[in-house]
């Protein structure tokens, strides 16, 4: 792996793109200081250029290199959770070009917790940072394995570093600071409770109207499979699948409870059990959606997950995936 990382660093320095593993999802990386590399990232992803990219770097002691006017709450979170699945939105320093931030004066900053990502960043050195959105096309499911990246981006990316399946499997929690108050823009790998504990309760969830227009995760259809995805309650999901089956439509029911255990077999209906526990469920969610999107189902039917804070990120992604 060490040689591969050295090669990846060379490619990035020369203005190429490298997909690499993080603990959340795979990123599509480019050196922030090479404008042509940044525009390649937008091209490959087919992402509008006013949608900001997250900037990844290696060490909390470098935070002031990339950001300024850093609130106390941001320092607390950085010191506690980095490296980890947390992105902080802060005033950018002059070292981060506007092309990376979609023209905004703030930047999303993160230290990923993955040995390959950290090794790559350290090889590049402390003056370099990598812009890396998730390595999928705009609006599609994020990749959690190198194979997902290959299927999605193919030859468009210059190199893919394979670090196995991502441990968290959902994107980072994004936190911005409004008048010093930590505000969750996107729920993710770090649960609300964990943030609240470090900040003595001083954390709020952005309501939908507060979320910046330019946050792509807030577009109607996002993180979406190509097969239509619907969310239904445990009571209604099986009868609904039977109704579709009567019209000759094939469905897979993705369940987490024991509710589906005793349902009669039906040749048009597959049942797939996910873990009961949100951390495990989150880790497998995208791989499961990728897996069933490749089979010829007419609908993916998701059993409504529990409505509690530990399932916040999962509910958020499923909700977005269900919108067309
Ligand atoms: O876990 C993750 O965060 C992964 C890995 C690769 O680090 N990255 C990721 O990047 O999910 P992306 O580009 O798919 O999503 C980044 C999100 C977008 O919704 C973007 O708008 C938001 O971060 N973001 C970045 N900079 C921002 C800023 N200055 N203000 C508001 N939102 C920002
Ligand atoms: Mg993404």
């Amino acid at each position: 792996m060490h040689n591969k990382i050295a090669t990846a660093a060379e490619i990035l320095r020369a203005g190429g793109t490298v997909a690499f593993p993080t603990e959340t999802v795979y990123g599509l990386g480019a050196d922030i200081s090479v404008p042509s590399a940044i525009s390649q990232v937008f091209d490959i992803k087919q992402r509008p250029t006013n949608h900001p990219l997250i900037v990844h770097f290696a060490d909390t002691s470098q935070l002031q290199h990339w950001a300024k006017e850093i609130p106390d709450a941001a320092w607390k979170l950085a010191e506690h959770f980095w490296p980890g699945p947390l992105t902080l939105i802060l005033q950018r320093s002059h070292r981060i070009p506007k092309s990376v931030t979609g023209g905004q004066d703030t930047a999303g900053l993160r230290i990923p917790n993955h040995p390959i990502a950290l090794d790559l960043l350290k090889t590049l050195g402390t003056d370099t940072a990598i812009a890396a959105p998730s390595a999928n096309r705009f609006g599609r499911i994020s990749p959690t394995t190198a194979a997902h990246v290959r299927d999605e981006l193919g030859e468009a990316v210059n190199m893919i570093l394979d670090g196995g399946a991502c441990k968290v499997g959902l994107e980072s929690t994004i936190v911005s600071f409004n008048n010093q108050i930590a505000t969750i823009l996107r729920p993710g790998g770090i649960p609300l409770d964990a943030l609240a504990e470090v900040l003595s309760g001083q954390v709020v969830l952005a309501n939908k109207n507060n979320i910046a227009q330019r946050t792509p995760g807030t577009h109607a259809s996002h993180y979406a499979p190509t097969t239509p995805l619907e969310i239904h309650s445990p009571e209604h999901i099986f009868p609904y699948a039977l109704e579709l089956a009567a019209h000759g439509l094939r469905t897979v029911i993705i369940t987490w409870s024991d509710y589906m255990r005793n349902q009669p077999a039906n040749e048009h209906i597959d049942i797939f059990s996910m873990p009961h526990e949100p951390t495990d469920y989150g880790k497998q969610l995208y791989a499961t959606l990728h897996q069933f999107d490749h089979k010829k189902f007419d609908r993916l039917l998701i059993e409504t997950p529990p409505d509690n804070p530990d399932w916040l990120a999962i509910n958020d992604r499923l909700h977005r995936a269900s919108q067309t």
Side-chain angles (χ1 to χ4, degrees), residues 22 24-27 45 47 51-54 56 87 89 101 104 106-108 110 132-134 136 170-172 174 185-186 212 214-217 223:
T22 80
T24 59
V25 300
Y26 276 70
K45 272 192 72 87
R47 175 164 167 160
H51 292 271
L53 309 177
I54 294 178
H56 299 70
T87 296
I89 308 292
T101 66
Q104 307 195 53
T106 55
R110 172 165 121 81
S134 51
N136 52 281
L170 294 174
E171 297 82 352
S172 58
I174 302 182
L185 295 186
R186 177 179 76 181
R214 289 193 190 139
T215 307
Y223 309 99

Side-chain angles (χ1 to χ4, degrees), residues 97-118:
K98 273 195 174 175
S99 57
V100 171
T101 66
Q104 307 195 53
D105 290 331
T106 55
L109 292 159
R110 172 165 121 81
I111 304 182
N113 188 13
H114 192 292
I116 293 176
L118 288 171

Side-chain angles (χ1 to χ4, degrees), residues 31-282:
D31 182 334
I32 64 163
S33 67
V34 185
S36 62
I38 296 303
S39 60
Q40 264 189 73
V41 167
F42 284 101
D43 283 354
I44 293 171
K45 272 192 72 87
Q46 296 155 4
R47 175 164 167 160
T49 52
N50 62 351
H51 292 271
L53 309 177
I54 294 178
V55 174
H56 299 70
F57 64 107
D59 199 296
T60 307
S61 66
Q62 294 291 312
L63 180 56
Q64 286 170 100
H65 198 73
W66 306 113
K68 54 187 187 185
E69 299 160 35
I70 303 163
D72 288 349
W75 277 117
K76 279 190 190 146
L77 294 179
E79 274 156 14
H80 199 274
F81 293 108
W82 280 348
L86 175 71
T87 296
L88 300 177
I89 308 292
L90 297 168
Q91 295 299 313
R92 69 178 168 84
S93 80
H94 64 90
R95 295 184 183 90
I96 299 180
K98 273 195 174 175
S99 57
V100 171
T101 66
Q104 307 195 53
D105 290 331
T106 55
L109 292 159
R110 172 165 121 81
I111 304 182
N113 188 13
H114 192 292
I116 293 176
L118 288 171
D119 202 350
L120 179 61
L121 286 161
K122 283 174 186 157
T123 304
L124 285 166
T126 48
D127 284 341
T128 308
I130 301 178
S134 51
N136 52 281
R137 311 249 182 214
F138 190 59
R140 310 265 307 125
I141 309 167
S142 298
T144 56
T145 65
H148 293 157
V149 180
R150 219 169 284 121
D151 287 351
E152 178 87 359
L153 302 182
E155 300 296 309
V157 53
N158 298 124
M159 183 178 187
I160 301 173
L161 289 169
D162 189 344
C166 300
K167 286 215 164 71
V168 175
L170 294 174
E171 297 82 352
S172 58
T173 302
I174 302 182
V175 175
S176 71
F177 300 88
N178 301 331
N179 304 320
Q180 310 270 323
I181 300 293
T183 307
I184 298 180
L185 295 186
R186 177 179 76 181
I190 306 271
L192 174 67
D193 289 2
L195 296 173
E197 204 177 310
V198 171
L199 298 178
S200 314
Q202 296 294 300
V203 55
V204 296
L205 260 178
N207 81 38
K208 292 258 150 41
N209 305 327
N210 287 343
I211 295 180
Q213 280 291 316
R214 289 193 190 139
T215 307
T218 62
H219 277 226
S221 171
H222 214 79
Y223 309 99
T226 50
T227 313
L229 179 153
E230 297 177 20
I231 306 168
H232 293 280
S233 69
E235 300 79 21
H236 292 120
I237 200 164
F238 198 79
Y240 178 64
L242 283 175
E243 219 175 277
L244 295 176
H247 291 93
L249 297 179
R250 288 202 61 195
T251 57
V252 55
I253 297 179
I254 297 170
T255 168
W256 61 273
S257 71
D258 292 329
Y259 212 86
M260 239 53 64
R261 273 242 175 99
N262 303 316
Q263 304 296 353
N266 181 296
E267 57 168 348
H268 283 89
I269 306 172
D270 280 24
I271 293 178
F272 182 82
S273 290
M274 292 287 282
H276 295 237
E277 207 275 316
T279 312
D280 296 331
Y281 186 114

